[in-house]
Amino acid sequence: MDLERLIDEVYQRIIDKTKQEEITKAVSNEAVRPGKKFLQCEGKVLSIAGYEAVLFETIKDKSQFRDYQFLVITRLSIDEMAASVSGLAINEKTRVLRQFLLTGKTVYVMEEGLEHRAYKAIANPVFYNVFKDQETKLIQYGMQIMSAIALETALDTGEKMVSAETIRNETVAESAVRSGSSAIQSSEIKSSNKYTTVKKLINHELAKQLASEANITLKVGTLITPYANDVFRENNTRITFI
């Protein structure tokens, strides 16, 4: 009798342990199950919290993109850019790019991967403007051009771009509401609004928005990408760090 009870007890413990392992495995699978996905063409896979990166080269069906939130293009050649501006597809990359735009999905192009920018310092300025105009067209079509670091940071934190005009209007409105406050309060308001933006990283896209100002003020330690610096230099925007 004691032996039977012992066998039953051992059997029950085995069953309980098996069930616990199954529960643990199910929870683990749920934790690592990918949520939203994005499609990336070429390059080192970007790491963005909350998204699963899928390389375009690895998918079998290159005509179905409903499950992807957005497209990331790490390199865009001169020919590919010219074709995209005209709505043409000269390869798989430009075909998927066109499809994402036609379906209203966001396309991110890495600014460091734009081939024409490598010739900026040596190209004939007038001829180079042809490619700058094409880049502007891409932005008008809804593409967003930024660095890989800026993209990862923006999507990780869920930050949204704020235009210089919006910042200026908010500052004016706040000053008007508090115009009846004491001199000390006014000083505090001015101090809190002394920065044009509190972003820690200024990329090409944000720089184009801020460059509408002749003078901008940034926090000491703010990082500015090389292409963003080009924007400020071309617009003669003066930057003050405090």
Side-chain angles (χ1 to χ4, degrees):
M1 198 69 175
D2 291 337
L3 181 58
E4 290 180 354
R5 283 201 300 268
L6 179 60
I7 292 174
D8 289 339
E9 184 177 350
V10 171
Y11 177 79
Q12 190 60 46
R13 287 185 179 181
I14 292 174
I15 295 298
D16 292 342
K17 185 176 181 180
T18 301
K19 288 182 178 180
Q20 185 60 42
E21 288 176 349
E22 290 176 351
I23 294 173
T24 302
K25 184 177 180 180
V27 172
S28 177
N29 288 339
E30 184 67 24
V32 301
R33 182 180 298 168
K36 296 178 289 186
K37 298 187 292 185
F38 71 91
L39 196 62
Q40 178 177 331
C41 290
E42 306 172 327
K44 180 181 178 182
V45 177
L46 299 183
S47 176
I48 301 174
Y51 293 91
E52 176 194 3
V54 178
L55 282 174
F56 178 67
E57 296 77 14
T58 64
I59 63 175
K60 294 181 179 179
D61 188 350
K62 290 181 168 55
S63 62
Q64 296 296 328
F65 311 113
R66 290 183 304 175
D67 296 334
Y68 303 102
Q69 303 297 312
F70 55 88
L71 172 67
V72 174
I73 295 182
T74 58
R75 287 191 292 272
L76 196 65
S77 71
I78 291 174
D79 290 337
E80 289 170 342
M81 183 171 69
S84 298
V85 166
S86 302
L88 302 177
I90 59 175
N91 54 25
E92 292 289 348
K93 186 195 302 183
T94 50
R95 184 171 291 106
V96 66
L97 187 156
R98 182 177 64 184
Q99 190 62 27
F100 265 71
L101 290 179
L102 285 174
T103 53
K105 293 191 174 184
T106 304
V107 176
Y108 295 99
V109 180
M110 302 298 92
E111 59 184 6
E112 54 266 43
L114 290 170
E115 182 188 7
H116 73 280
R117 290 193 178 186
Y119 301 96
K120 181 176 181 178
I122 58 176
N124 178 288
V126 178
F127 184 59
Y128 185 78
N129 281 338
V130 172
F131 304 103
K132 285 187 64 177
D133 290 342
Q134 291 179 351
E135 184 178 323
T136 301
K137 282 284 188 182
L138 294 181
I139 296 171
Q140 292 173 346
Y141 293 163
M143 298 187 205
Q144 297 193 37
I145 299 175
M146 60 178 64
S147 69
I149 295 176
L151 174 60
E152 291 177 333
T153 302
L155 292 180
D156 276 347
T157 59
E159 293 180 343
K160 295 182 178 179
M161 301 297 185
V162 180
S163 67
E165 183 67 23
T166 299
I167 295 172
R168 182 169 59 250
N169 290 341
E170 288 178 350
T171 302
V172 171
E174 186 175 17
S175 298
V177 171
R178 300 189 181 185
S179 58
S181 300
S182 65
I184 295 178
Q185 289 175 320
S186 298
S187 176
E188 290 175 349
I189 294 171
K190 184 176 180 180
S191 175
S192 65
N193 290 288
K194 62 185 177 182
Y195 300 111
T196 306
T197 179
V198 294
K199 299 283 186 180
K200 295 180 180 179
L201 177 68
I202 309 298
N203 59 28
H204 178 262
E205 190 68 23
L206 181 55
K208 288 188 294 184
Q209 299 175 39
L210 298 178
S212 61
E213 300 281 353
N215 299 283
I216 63 173
T217 304
L218 305 176
K219 281 187 176 182
V220 174
T222 301
L223 300 177
I224 303 177
T225 67
Y227 295 121
N229 263 325
D230 289 342
V231 172
F232 291 135
R233 186 163 46 250
E234 291 170 0
N235 288 275
N236 296 318
T237 300
R238 181 182 176 186
I239 304 173
T240 302
F241 293 93
I242 59 175

